[in-house]
Amino acid sequence: MTRTLDAELKTAMAARLLHMADDELILAHRDSEWTGHAPILEEDIAFANIAQDEMGHGLIWYEIRQSLTGEDPDRLVFFRKPAEFRNVQLVELPKGDWAFSMVRQWMFDTWESVHLEALEHSQFAPVADAARKIRREETYHLRHTRAWVRRLGLGTEESNRRMQAAVNELWPYRAQIAIVANEYERLVEERLMPDLDRLATVWGEGVQSELTNSNLALPESAPLRLTRDQHSRYFPALIEELQQVARLEAEARW
Amino acid sequence: MTEEERLQAFEARIARGEKIEPGDWMPERFRKQLIRMISQHAHSEIVGMLPEGKWITRAPTLRRKLILIAKVQDEAGHGQYLYHAAETLGATREEMLDDLLASRAKYSSVFNYPTLSWADVGVIGWLVDGAAIINQTMLAKSSYGPYARAMLRICAEETFHKKQGQEIVILLSQGTPNQKAMVQDAINRWWWPTLMMFGPHDSDSKNSPELMRWGVKTRSNDELRQVFVNQMIPDLHALGLSVPDPKLRYHEETGNWLIGPIDWDEFWRVVKGDGPCNRERLETRRKAHQDGRWVREAMAAYAEKYEGKGTSDRSNRSVRSV
Amino acid sequence: MTDTQWPRFEVFLIEEDEKPAEHVGSVHAPDAEMALLNARDVFVRRPRCRQLWVAPSSKVLFRTAQELKDATTPPGNQLEEPQPYLVFSKPNHREPLTLSKCLSAGSAETALRSVLAGGYGADYPLWAIVSEADLTRSDPEESESFFEPAESKQYKMHADFPTGQLMKEVRQK
């Protein structure tokens, strides 16, 4: 049973799907930068798997959005200006060291495990179905990043120090993921999308205990109040690189 | 059994088509040659991740991005299978990597050339991986069991590499004038390095006779090179593309496309480490290795502290279900 | 600390429910949990897999037909407490190294000898023996997240690229 969406709901749904798709795309972009540079061969393979999965998830959300607005995913990805992207800043920050990328991925994976579970209950079937499929892959990611966070947290004095530095830097970015536009409220009322504030609380509590078990502390710093149209100073270079080849020939087939 | 008798029995096994397995008696020279060959092959896969890997972030469609990440991931996987095969012969990955990063080990010189445009990704897939398939199909019949098995696994995945490259080249060759120019330029730069992948001419190849007798190589360099040229030229011409060889001609009687002279000075220069990207590629691998040292140590430290004491996450289900 | 590439773990894979476990290679990992995850990423990039097992390489005994013929080593300590062992055999050069017997024995060596005493296998090129205790298996409850994703990545299967058709179209133009 799926709801049919009126024009207003379609717009709101399309906007939200763009958030989710852009998050996956930009995270996949940063993840893929590790290919060929990971600390050990097995991790080149593992992180490339995560990058592929996230990119695939992005494609799924872009395609559902396309069924609502008709907009082609490649056109969205390769021909929007930086200011038009709607991903959170957490995913666009440069990859940093291995600890940084691992903590960032883990934050995203733990958020997704809470978020996707809620999305499976959406009254809009394409979203519910997609969430179910994506969740399979995310379950595996979480197992992977969780194992790493624990090991690097508890491993050596140096790994703990680097992990703590990563947590300190990334933790303030967590709030942006639950910040929504006004139109989102109607999606929640119609049970098409979940209440993100509630999810964010559940998420926060879950990660807290995991960090403590890994000998890592949550910083006291206040969350950054950012909306999704606000990007970091790193973002224009990221988009320029992403779009470089596609923009050489705007109408060509690649 | 004397050493001589053992050697005869060993060669008789190979002549019978038997596979040598880890633990079997083998001449020390066989072991050394194989470790050299297999580790070189493994290093090639690893270094080969870099020239294409750098185009992942710029791949021009979502599908191309997915394909390229998967391809580079495969290459890491292939390196992995090959290091495993060398390990069964007694080599360790620490030693093999040390040799690579200290520039003591060789890898296929084709990966010392720069990738200057998106078209290079297509050309590497179709030409370089196409050439690799021809070589690897032969090696899959190798007399050393683990190497043959690694080759079979690799061959199964390599077809995807070649076809995705061919698809890119086809589209570019039939695309806009800019795209056509881009792909022709890429072919001009990669044609000769690809031909050199098959190794020196048979008359100049000093390792080949022994490798043939020991069932590691079963066809000659020139033979395989000719197979490749005959496969590629008709397809390239059909797409309106040319190769940078003014002496290329078709030989009616044999049906072979005959190539002009290969610049072996260039080949040996690049093999010895003086190619455009040798230093850069090794520097990148060294940096990744050095930067990753604290990670490898931390993971080893955790295992020492927590494994086997029942506090690991595998025995603690509640940690996993949070 | 000398730089490490971590210890090796042998990897065994079950392709389909009815098929026996097959030895497919090894991975480097700091511990068994990471070995399982690494094995999945290295060996299950494409279909098909139903189960994955890993065991430290140091705990897996490999024996070739030649080694068995030349062997003068006495059988393992008979006083050891019998434990379940898994015996993998490679019957010839074409077939893979697969699980052929599970039995109780005091050591890997005695497990192998028990199997050989059955009157077959002396000419099998390769054997591998590992104790159940040293094996870590993938959790059936996690099979979906472990193995299903590989099935749907069409973009990395060569059948997804219609190069034959494309070349044909170009030639016809």
Side-chain angles (χ1 to χ4, degrees):
Chain A
M1 264 303 291
T2 190
R3 281 287 314 278
T4 37
L5 310 178
D6 62 36
E8 193 185 66
L9 284 175
K10 256 194 198 162
T11 308
M13 178 64 81
R16 178 59 188 158
L17 288 168
L18 196 62
H19 293 184
M20 287 155 55
D22 283 351
D23 282 346
E24 304 275 5
L25 171 78
I26 302 299
L27 179 61
H29 184 100
R30 286 305 192 204
D31 286 344
S32 73
E33 289 174 352
W34 278 105
T35 316
H37 305 269
I40 196 166
L41 192 52
E42 278 76 4
E43 275 309 302
D44 276 311
I45 299 169
F47 231 62
N49 170 65
I50 292 178
Q52 278 175 75
D53 284 352
E54 304 299 12
M55 182 95 47
H57 302 168
L59 192 49
I60 289 174
W61 297 129
Y62 284 127
E63 283 174 342
I64 296 178
R65 189 181 180 281
Q66 184 178 26
S67 72
L68 297 173
T69 69
E71 281 175 281
D72 173 63
D74 280 337
R75 288 238 69 88
L76 282 174
V77 169
F78 295 99
F79 293 94
R80 270 183 298 164
K81 298 200 258 301
E84 294 171 294
F85 280 80
R86 290 291 170 264
N87 55 284
V88 289
Q89 286 195 24
L90 176 74
V91 297
E92 72 189 47
L93 299 172
K95 71 186 203 293
D97 69 357
W98 190 250
F100 188 88
S101 282
M102 211 38 99
V103 172
R104 189 242 302 274
Q105 185 66 39
W106 169 80
M107 280 175 71
F108 190 78
D109 290 340
T110 46
W111 163 254
E112 284 284 270
S113 78
V114 171
H115 186 216
L116 290 166
E117 189 184 31
L119 286 173
E120 281 185 25
H121 300 285
S122 167
Q123 296 294 298
F124 185 51
V127 165
D129 294 339
R132 211 161 294 127
K133 175 173 189 281
I134 291 173
R135 200 165 165 213
R136 267 202 312 244
E137 292 181 347
E138 284 297 329
T139 303
Y140 179 77
H141 292 184
L142 187 52
R143 176 137 173 211
H144 183 100
T145 48
R146 183 166 268 164
W148 271 93
V149 165
R150 188 182 157 79
R151 282 158 177 73
L152 292 180
L154 296 170
T156 57
E157 188 263 306
E158 178 172 6
S159 68
N160 182 276
R161 186 171 40 83
R162 286 175 181 263
M163 288 295 280
Q164 189 62 66
V167 170
N168 292 350
E169 197 178 333
L170 288 162
W171 198 241
Y173 288 91
R174 74 196 178 287
Q176 194 186 17
I177 216 157
I179 291 175
V180 289
N182 291 334
E183 313 86 74
Y184 189 81
E185 290 314 312
R186 235 202 109 197
L187 292 171
V188 177
E189 281 160 22
E190 303 289 342
R191 285 154 60 222
L192 300 167
M193 281 290 173
D195 174 353
L196 296 184
D197 284 329
R198 187 183 60 79
L199 291 181
T201 310
V202 173
W203 177 43
E205 286 162 5
V207 304
Q208 194 133 356
S209 60
E210 263 188 75
L211 287 174
T212 313
N213 288 341
S214 306
N215 195 23
L216 294 164
L218 277 179
E220 301 277 297
S221 49
L224 293 169
R225 292 276 157 219
L226 301 160
T227 51
R228 281 175 176 268
D229 57 347
Q230 292 176 295
H231 292 284
S232 69
R233 61 195 161 96
Y234 308 105
F235 200 58
L238 185 160
I239 295 301
E240 197 277 321
E241 188 175 327
L242 175 69
Q243 300 183 338
Q244 204 182 84
V245 175
R247 281 186 186 267
L248 289 175
E249 291 282 347
E251 300 306 321
R253 286 178 70 201
W254 294 99
Chain B
M1 260 190 153
T2 66
E3 187 83 4
E4 185 55 39
E5 284 167 339
R6 279 192 184 279
L7 180 58
Q8 277 169 13
F10 171 79
E11 291 187 348
R13 287 191 67 195
I14 293 176
R16 278 196 298 273
E18 284 178 34
K19 298 263 184 247
I20 310 298
E21 295 293 346
D24 283 345
W25 185 90
M26 59 184 80
E28 192 52 26
R29 213 173 136 60
F30 179 82
R31 181 192 307 274
K32 285 206 157 68
Q33 282 277 52
L34 269 179
I35 290 178
R36 178 190 62 82
M37 227 180 126
I38 298 173
S39 59
Q40 242 170 254
H41 196 163
H43 296 324
S44 299
E45 296 282 355
I46 302 313
V47 177
M49 290 169 69
L50 298 173
E52 291 170 282
K54 70 180 250 225
W55 285 94
I56 290 172
T57 49
R58 290 175 287 179
T61 71
L62 288 172
R63 182 164 172 264
R64 291 291 167 216
K65 271 170 122 54
L66 282 166
I67 290 167
L68 194 51
I69 299 175
K71 177 177 197 279
V72 176
Q73 183 196 37
D74 277 352
E75 276 146 25
H78 297 175
Q80 219 275 350
Y81 304 149
L82 290 162
Y83 283 130
H84 164 79
E87 283 164 334
T88 65
L89 286 161
T92 69
R93 227 159 77 176
E94 285 85 353
E95 283 164 358
M96 290 189 276
L97 281 183
D98 213 41
D99 283 343
L100 173 67
L101 300 179
S103 306
R104 283 190 297 267
K106 298 208 186 79
Y107 53 90
S108 182
S109 54
V110 77
F111 298 115
N112 285 318
Y113 293 88
T115 43
L116 299 178
S117 75
W118 171 251
D120 288 38
V121 172
V123 169
I124 288 175
W126 194 13
L127 269 61
V128 173
D129 289 325
I133 287 174
I134 291 171
N135 202 36
Q136 282 159 189
T137 306
M138 172 195 67
L139 291 170
K141 304 184 180 75
S142 156
S143 56
Y144 186 58
Y147 193 23
R149 289 191 284 275
M151 282 296 105
L152 282 172
R153 206 170 257 285
I154 290 172
C155 281
E157 296 175 348
E158 203 79 38
T159 308
F160 148 64
H161 296 189
K162 178 179 165 181
K163 286 178 111 188
Q164 62 85 43
Q166 187 176 4
E167 191 182 69
I168 291 174
V169 174
I170 294 171
L171 287 176
L172 295 178
S173 72
Q174 308 302 299
T176 69
N178 272 345
Q179 287 178 312
K180 277 186 222 171
M182 195 196 285
V183 75
Q184 181 62 68
D185 173 68
I187 292 187
N188 291 346
R189 285 180 286 105
W190 286 93
W191 178 250
W192 292 108
T194 307
L195 292 183
M196 293 181 204
M197 275 173 75
F198 291 97
H201 284 310
D202 298 343
S203 45
D204 300 320
S205 186
K206 58 180 170 74
N207 285 320
S208 289
E210 197 173 47
L211 291 172
M212 295 256 212
R213 206 170 76 242
W214 283 343
V216 180
K217 253 172 101 122
T218 49
R219 295 178 78 183
S220 80
N221 295 352
D222 288 331
E223 245 185 289
L224 296 178
R225 193 172 3 244
Q226 190 61 65
V227 168
F228 175 73
V229 172
N230 287 346
Q231 262 179 25
M232 291 305 310
I233 297 296
D235 279 350
L236 288 171
H237 285 176
L239 294 176
L241 297 167
S242 64
V243 299
D245 183 359
K247 298 250 167 56
L248 180 78
R249 64 186 181 89
Y250 183 66
H251 188 235
E252 283 284 350
E253 285 130 52
T254 55
N256 287 334
W257 281 92
L258 301 179
I259 58 173
I262 295 176
D263 182 355
W264 292 112
D265 287 335
E266 149 100 350
F267 174 77
W268 288 115
R269 251 188 48 241
V270 177
V271 164
K272 288 187 168 84
D274 199 28
C277 296
N278 285 63
R279 273 177 292 279
E280 183 200 310
R281 300 259 146 90
L282 280 183
E283 222 7 81
T284 305
R285 293 305 310 165
R286 262 178 225 124
K287 182 167 191 303
H289 188 76
Q290 266 147 229
D291 288 352
R293 195 191 176 100
W294 69 266
V295 177
R296 295 187 297 273
E297 283 177 5
M299 299 298 271
Y302 174 93
E304 213 173 321
K305 274 193 270 192
Y306 296 94
E307 283 301 291
K309 289 183 187 167
T311 51
S312 70
D313 36 14
R314 270 213 69 78
S315 55
N316 188 354
R317 286 190 88 87
S318 62
V319 172
R320 272 196 293 142
S321 56
V322 160
Chain C
M1 201 190 280
T2 42
D3 203 354
T4 175
Q5 286 285 300
W6 300 332
R8 287 174 62 214
F9 286 77
E10 300 298 329
V11 180
F12 307 89
L13 186 153
I14 298 184
E15 222 176 79
E16 303 282 3
D17 290 324
E18 330 78 53
K19 285 173 109 172
E22 181 184 332
H23 175 255
V24 290
S26 69
V27 291
H28 287 247
D31 55 59
E33 162 76 1
M34 300 307 295
L36 207 54
L37 301 180
N38 288 348
R40 185 270 203 182
D41 289 327
V42 172
F43 291 99
V44 195
R45 298 200 301 281
R46 291 176 177 81
R48 199 167 164 70
C49 182
R50 287 277 174 257
Q51 266 193 63
L52 213 47
W53 305 343
V54 296
S57 295
S58 58
K59 299 287 170 82
V60 180
L61 180 70
F62 286 97
R63 280 285 177 272
T64 66
Q66 197 183 74
E67 281 179 307
L68 286 173
K69 238 186 336 162
D70 294 347
T72 50
T73 42
N77 188 351
Q78 303 288 20
L79 297 174
E80 267 183 43
E81 194 64 40
Q83 282 193 71
Y85 277 89
L86 285 79
V87 178
F88 294 76
S89 62
K90 191 183 195 324
N92 55 55
H93 296 298
R94 279 172 317 283
E95 289 177 72
L97 179 61
T98 55
L99 183 61
S100 51
K101 244 180 155 60
C102 299
L103 69 155
S104 202
S107 72
E109 290 276 9
T110 45
L112 178 56
R113 268 160 223 287
S114 298
V115 175
L116 291 170
Y120 72 95
D123 56 346
Y124 283 15
L126 193 58
W127 295 86
I129 309 96
V130 63
S131 78
E132 178 69 51
D134 290 323
L135 215 57
T136 303
R137 297 168 194 258
S138 57
D139 187 345
E141 275 173 41
E142 283 158 333
S143 288
E144 214 191 15
S145 72
F146 249 62
F147 307 124
E148 288 302 301
E151 309 271 335
S152 60
K153 294 183 159 84
Q154 292 302 124
Y155 58 84
K156 54 171 143 182
M157 322 252 201
H158 66 81
D160 211 46
F161 298 87
T163 46
Q165 181 61 29
L166 289 172
M167 288 303 298
K168 198 162 152 211
E169 282 166 15
V170 169
R171 286 192 155 98
Q172 279 164 1
K173 261 201 291 175

